[in-house]
Amino acid sequence: MRPLSFKRAGSLLLASVIFLVLALRSGPAMAEYAVIEGSGSTWAYTIVEQWIADVSKSGLQATFNNNGSSQGRKDFANYVTDFGDSDIPYQGVDPVTHQQDSSVRPYAYLPVVAGGTAFTYQIKVGGKKVENLRLSGQTLTKIFTNKITNWNDPAITKDNNGHALPSLPITPVVRSDGSGATAQFTLWMDKQYPSLWRAYNGAAGLTSLYPRKGRQIAASGDDGIMNTVSSASGNGTIGYAEYSYPLNAHFPVVYVENAAGYYVQPTQYNVAVALTKAKIVGCDANGNCSPSGLAPNTYLNQNLDGVYTYNDPRAYPVSSYSYMIIPTSSTDRKMTPAKRQTLADFLTYSLCGGQAKAGPYGYSPLPLNLVKAAFGQVQKLGPQAEGGAVSGVKISDPSTNLASCDNPTFVKGNLAANHLADVAPQPLACQKAGADPCGTAVVPPGTTTKAGSTAVVPAGGATVAAVPTGTDAVVGGGTAAAPVDGGTTQLTSAGLTATANAIELPARRSGDDNAFGFLSLVELLAVVLTPGVFAAVRRRSKKGTLQ
């Protein structure tokens, strides 16, 4: 047998290393991702955009066009996007516009975040913004149906316990595009004040396209509403948007009267309390959810009638959920296995770690039972897709996902509980109907009142600032917290710019990381050893073969 030459040995070593590298590269070392595209709700956009930023550094890329819930549903139905986000389900036919609103593309709904539709406004008195406006639901409905047209109206004065605003025309700002926020707001008016809404609208029920009349002006998107109200020419305006928008813009929102007779704002706590009375299709009173026997387009839909009328002093009445729309057919022509994996991992983060960001960004996190039910829907992207499982898509079991979720609503072992609602603070005494609005009464120094964010006022007695519920309002020595516009205290928000944080995605499994680490080691050995082998070969080639 011919002896093995050093040159041949070096060649074989190099060939073996290259073969091993290529073999490992071709195997399932890491989950494959592809860019996914979504569109829809501007109401949910602030938190969705943050989630997209969070996952971007983990190799997952997604885009989201905040073109409104109506267009988001249409884009998904027409295979324009990979997923949609909508604040209401497909309507079949819009009850007011009579436009078709349906999808033949197989789909499933899953809730992704909760929040409150806020009423942001600009009213200046003596050059300073009013920060503590209170309005009943009936007064709000009359404003948006043109029954109340001036800020000095007696109904507004009554809501504020006799404190009258100066004569100033009211300019309601409504959405110009098809909007889930419009749908939720008009549904609330239709359910609570049907005689007012139906006389104005000309029909019963919700609508996604607001029927603009009179002094009302229209703007596209929640951001358009916010920009219009907060503009230099916005004095006298009032509009509706998800709470994240005025919070991020440092602009005031109305204290809305609830069924208990308290005027409250859409904090994460007050929204969480209110939504304990939401009825979710397919979920029982113990928090257990199942799609058994239900049409796919009805499972997990929300019924908010109990939310509107809940008589807990903390409940914010215009609270609701926003939903993702995802494809469920194994033969969906737009969805590759890589896109399915990307969407599944994006939703897994959004439903788990992403919920911890809901509160700081002006939303409210999902309760445990809805997170678990939503994870069940995510399975339809791969293992439980209609028509058979899709190979190459790995989705963790929902129960294993829940164990690591940092969600402030979770109560271990109790699907029906909501910790955030349990610890929600009671409103201030000045938030009760019949009391002077917060910000109008002079209180003695050293007084501490539970609830409301910290507000410190001069020791000689001063005005209690209008602040959101959540922590303590302290009256003592010091200066007002977050003073703006001549000394008033308003809602503040820190660090709401979308930032890309490195996170662990489900597709980065420990086995994959081990394989990838081994692959890196082999590549490193190839880089280090190969030059030495060739150098030795060249030296030995002058001396003949090695015996």
Side-chain angles (χ1 to χ4, degrees), residues 401-426:
N401 288 328
L402 292 173
S404 61
C405 289
D406 181 19
N407 186 318
T409 71
F410 285 9
V411 176
K412 188 174 182 180
N414 188 349
L415 282 175
N418 185 323
H419 177 70
L420 207 62
D422 292 341
V423 301
Q426 293 294 326

Side-chain angles (χ1 to χ4, degrees), residues 134 255-267 269-271 273-274 310-317 421-433 435-438 448-453 464-465 467-473:
R134 308 192 316 192
Y255 287 78
V256 179
E257 187 179 21
N258 60 26
Y262 282 85
Y263 293 89
V264 297
Q265 295 189 329
T267 66
Y269 299 100
N270 295 340
V271 168
V273 169
Y310 190 24
N311 62 356
D312 189 297
R314 304 164 296 175
Y316 185 75
D422 292 341
V423 301
Q426 293 294 326
L428 295 162
C430 56
Q431 291 176 249
K432 185 173 177 57
D436 279 345
C438 304
T448 300
T449 308
K450 291 298 293 182
S453 61
V464 178
V467 292
T469 57
T471 52
D472 292 343

Side-chain angles (χ1 to χ4, degrees), residues 191 277-281 301-308 323:
K191 293 283 187 176
K277 293 302 180 181
K279 291 185 178 179
I280 306 298
V281 177
N301 283 355
Q302 57 189 334
N303 181 317
L304 302 172
D305 291 354
V307 174
Y308 302 153
Y323 290 74

Side-chain angles (χ1 to χ4, degrees), residues 17 71 81 144 169 174 233 356 368 381 405 414 475 485 516 538:
V17 168
Q71 189 63 44
T81 54
F144 282 93
V174 300
S233 59
L368 176 58
L381 288 167
C405 289
N414 188 349
V475 179
D485 289 338
F516 187 71
R538 293 188 66 183

